[in-house]
Structures are given as C-alpha cells and as structure tokens.
C-alpha cells in the first residue's frame, strides 16, 4: 500500500508497482467455429483479467489483457505435430499479422493505463463489427455459411 512517511520523503512502497499481463486474442469477442475451445478460452482470459484488475487495484497491481489479431509466428506453419489444421479461412488475416515484438511494445506502453487493449487492424475491425452487429445476428449468419466453407468440408472432424 502507498503511504507517505514523515517529512517530505515518500516511502519506497509509494513507487513500487506490479503488473500482471495476459495475452488474450481478438477471438475472445466473437464466435469462432472450428476453434471453439480457443475462442472460449481467450474469452475466459479477458474476463478473468478484467475481474482481477478490480481486485488488485488497491494493492497497486495493474492488470492488462491484450487482444492482438493474427500473430506473425511459426505456429500456423509448424502444424504442431500434425494437430493444428491449416484453416483456409485464416490465410487472408495473416496479411494483417503483427510481430511478437510489436505486440510486446504496445503491451508495455499500455500497462497502468488500460485493462483491455485491442491491437492490430483485424482486432479493431472485429471490435467495431461486434458493436454494430448483435451476436445473435452474427451467429445466425455464421451457422448458415459454415457448411459452404472449404474448412468445413476438409475438417469435419473438428466439429
């Protein structure tokens, strides 16, 4: 806790702060068929960070969850021991990918200022779209369109 010592000096505890950082995803805010556990897990991370930020505030602990869009890593290409299917629907979004270094720099600038941070073109577009479209409308459209996708035809085992 922050306290002022006697005299003009501030105690050291006044300057000490801590931060808990979470990497969530743009996927936390919308339904992601064929990635159900991923998007729901990221939704948990974001909600957990928001609740934890409230609980930690009076202890001088900042909590931030960042929501990057696609990341420019080898995860998609590596195919993690054959267990990560290469979804065609994801390919166009890789063009908007951010590097881990870019996301880390943005993250560090946000600590102590915001609890949730959307970063990257994809995430910003999805946030605006989810504000304009009610989730039930989006789900209805996605339900009808999923069977038309090449990913659905190639990876029915994911459903």
């Amino acid at each position: 806790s922050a306290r002022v010592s006697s005299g003009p000096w501030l105690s050291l505890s006044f300057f000490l702060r801590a931060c808990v950082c979470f990497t969530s995803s743009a996927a936390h805010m919308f339904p992601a068929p064929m990635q159900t556990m991923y998007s729901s897990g990221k939704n948990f991370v974001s909600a957990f960070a928001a609740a934890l930020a409230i609980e930690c505030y009076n202890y001088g602990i900042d909590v931030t969850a960042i929501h990057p869009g696609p990341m420019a890593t080898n995860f998609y290409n590596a195919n993690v021991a054959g267990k990560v299917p290469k979804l065609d629907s994801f390919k166009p979004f890789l063009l908007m990918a951010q590097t881990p270094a870019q996301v880390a720099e943005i993250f560090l600038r946000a600590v102590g200022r915001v609890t949730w941070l959307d970063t990257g073109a994809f995430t910003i577009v999805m946030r605006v779209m989810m504000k304009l479209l009610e989730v039930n409308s989006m789900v209805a459209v996605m339900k009808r369109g999923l069977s038309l996708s090449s990913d659905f035809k190639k990876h029915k085992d994911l459903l």
Side-chain angles (χ1 to χ4, degrees):
S1 67
R3 63 183 178 84
V4 178
S5 62
S6 61
W9 307 105
L10 298 176
S11 73
L12 184 59
S13 65
F14 182 81
F15 296 103
L16 296 179
R17 299 205 40 96
C19 177
V20 178
C21 299
F22 293 98
T23 302
S24 184
S25 169
H28 89 279
M29 68 181 104
F30 59 91
M34 304 181 83
Q35 300 176 24
T36 307
M37 290 304 294
Y38 179 79
S39 61
S40 59
K42 293 301 186 176
N43 196 359
F44 167 81
V45 169
S46 295
F48 181 76
L52 193 62
I54 296 165
E55 293 177 11
C56 292
Y57 176 77
N58 289 325
Y59 297 100
I61 302 170
D62 295 316
V63 179
T64 302
I66 194 166
H67 304 124
M71 298 285 291
T73 66
N74 288 327
F75 177 79
Y76 187 74
N77 295 329
N79 198 7
V80 189
K83 303 214 187 260
V84 178
K86 292 188 177 193
L87 301 177
D88 295 335
S89 58
F90 195 68
K91 287 178 186 173
F93 303 115
L94 291 174
L95 299 173
M96 295 184 263
Q98 295 174 281
T99 67
Q102 289 170 322
V103 172
E105 183 181 328
I106 293 166
F107 215 149
L108 291 174
R109 283 187 279 153
V111 170
R113 295 179 35 217
V114 295
T115 301
W116 277 9
L117 178 64
D118 295 338
T119 178
F122 176 78
T123 306
I124 304 300
V125 167
M126 290 308 299
R127 177 69 68 194
V128 171
M129 191 167 83
M130 292 309 296
K131 294 282 186 189
L132 298 174
L133 269 177
E134 195 268 331
V135 73
N136 287 316
S137 300
M138 187 166 191
V139 168
V141 169
M142 292 175 86
K143 284 195 288 189
R144 286 163 182 75
L146 181 63
S147 63
L148 303 174
S149 79
S150 62
D151 291 332
F152 176 80
K153 293 170 186 167
K154 285 195 292 190
H155 303 289
K156 287 187 179 185
D157 57 317
L158 293 177
L159 301 174

